[in-house]
Amino acid sequence: MPELDDKVRDLLSHYDPATTDKAEFLGARFDAGLAWVHFPRGRGGLGVSRGEQERVDALLAAAGAPAPDVGRNSIGMGMAAPTLLAFGDADQQERYLRRIYTCEDIWCQLFSEPGAGSDLAAVATRARLDGDTWIVDGQKVWTSGAHHAQRAILVARTDSSVPKHAGLTYFVVDMSDPGVEVRPLRQITGEAEFNEVFLSGVRVPNSDRIGDVGQGWKVATATLNNERVAIGAGAAREAGQIGVVADRWRRDPSVRTPGAQAELLAWWVETEVTRLAGVRLRQQLEAGVPGPESSAMKLAFARQAQEISGLALELAPEEGLLYDDWTMTRTERPSFLGRGPGFRYLRAKGNSIEGGTSEIMRNVVAERVLGLPADHRPDKGIPFKEVPR
């Protein structure tokens, strides 16, 4: 598309990637509409096809231009931004989208709770309106990256007199509020990517409410669908665990056996089918927000990551016994592939929990994609305050 090529050339002529500060360059790229080209003009895009993004990215990468740190700000880039675009008002989009793209603001997601993980609609964290400010009290858990986040997306209960899905509202929280306390959760790998977050009298301006009061479940569903696309739909062939194992197979003849070859080939084909299904899912996004089909992608990703990391240990079982460091580290971004095969095997165990458990993914696919009968839900239609907990 000639207009896009002209835009890229113009950006590079005014902001030399070799000498321009990274945040300044990314801000200029956002202003030029080259951040998310399918977003509207003035919101980081040009209102063109999502498929043009790959061309823009390639042109800028060839020129040595910096890219946003998607790994460190995956929730901001992959979940908060599309949710703000779909449900935020003009003021919220103006305040937040550019700073998300430049990574000046890192975001986290205050959704899961000790009693509301798989059943997100059962969240008990309360938000009550005091004048033009919401006062939030409660506890969240399994919050990735909360220890370095400046902002958070939050689902809280604003009405307990209606059934659980109808009493939720969606907010943006300033993580520097004195009522926010973040505590680390140590994982089986020794790292602490996740956190508990305690909210005590946290003040949220009504101007940071996303969507209408009581519309939180609808907004959160859009966020979760985007999250599952981000987790499940890898873009490159041999990305992730299969790439690591295939590379080892090519480099090291000592791990090659007929049985392992057959297993590796089967997983290579399955991951490639999943990748191509992800490409089709991304194409469907051209028509609007992602649908429940994204749950199938996330489900497939989790299963493949766990099985293939197990295959890596079968190829070299002694390496699974070697673990170099159990020191608790506070990582800034998720690492599924870091360190050795023992780390990858342990880290993959969390893939079937984070971003929605595999059990919930199967329910979503069964009910909302395949149209099968729904599970029995004894709390359906009952006011939340009357549901035994």
Side-chain angles (χ1 to χ4, degrees), residues 314-330:
E314 291 177 18
L315 296 179
E318 71 284 357
E319 294 180 12
L321 301 176
L322 301 176
Y323 206 84
D324 56 345
D325 187 2
W326 284 99
T327 305
M328 188 180 86
T329 55
R330 298 288 272 157

Side-chain angles (χ1 to χ4, degrees), residues 223-238:
T223 301
L224 293 173
N225 285 337
N226 279 295
E227 179 183 32
R228 288 156 192 169
V229 171
I231 292 176
R237 177 175 289 177
E238 291 196 2

Side-chain angles (χ1 to χ4, degrees), residues 285-364:
L285 292 179
E286 298 282 347
V289 297
E293 295 83 358
S294 58
S295 295
M297 299 298 303
K298 198 274 175 182
L299 180 63
F301 161 77
R303 174 173 171 268
Q304 291 164 7
Q306 292 175 354
E307 294 291 339
I308 296 169
S309 64
L311 173 60
L313 290 186
E314 291 177 18
L315 296 179
E318 71 284 357
E319 294 180 12
L321 301 176
L322 301 176
Y323 206 84
D324 56 345
D325 187 2
W326 284 99
T327 305
M328 188 180 86
T329 55
R330 298 288 272 157
T331 58
E332 290 197 346
R333 55 180 60 80
S335 174
F336 298 151
L337 305 179
R339 294 155 59 177
F343 172 88
R344 293 196 297 274
Y345 179 76
L346 293 178
R347 181 60 185 82
K349 298 302 179 187
N351 294 156
S352 53
I353 301 173
E354 56 199 341
T357 67
S358 292
E359 289 76 11
I360 291 296
M361 296 301 104
R362 291 188 182 95
N363 271 355
V364 172

